[in-house]
Amino acid sequence: MTKHNKYTVMGFKALQRAAAKVAEDARNNDYKIPVWRNGRIVYIIPGEATEPVAAGDSQGPRHFDRTK
């Protein structure tokens, strides 16, 4: 496993905290979050997170997609 620079890890954790706050605000206020998928922008309303997203998770965050 590669050892990461401590500032890289700190920055990644800060981005995760910021994304969690944005998702929580969107859930509380029924806001839509724009996400780029399959070459276009899709608006989603995030659902309750059931588990934290690991750094190597290729599926991305868990959310409810109302576009389908």
Side-chain angles (χ1 to χ4, degrees):
M1 180 162 196
T2 306
K3 183 171 175 120
H4 298 287
N5 184 320
K6 70 177 183 176
Y7 295 112
T8 304
V9 174
M10 288 171 41
F12 180 67
K13 288 181 181 181
L15 286 172
Q16 286 182 320
R17 287 190 306 269
K21 287 181 182 180
V22 168
E24 179 183 356
D25 186 43
R27 276 191 298 274
N28 292 339
N29 297 308
D30 202 31
Y31 293 154
K32 295 179 181 179
I33 297 177
V35 177
W36 185 263
R37 285 209 182 135
N38 299 326
R40 64 187 185 104
I41 296 175
V42 177
Y43 292 90
I44 61 169
I45 297 176
E48 290 295 323
T50 57
E51 61 186 66
V53 177
D57 191 0
S58 62
Q59 294 179 350
R62 314 295 196 262
H63 58 268
F64 178 71
D65 190 350
R66 290 191 177 182
T67 60
K68 293 181 180 181

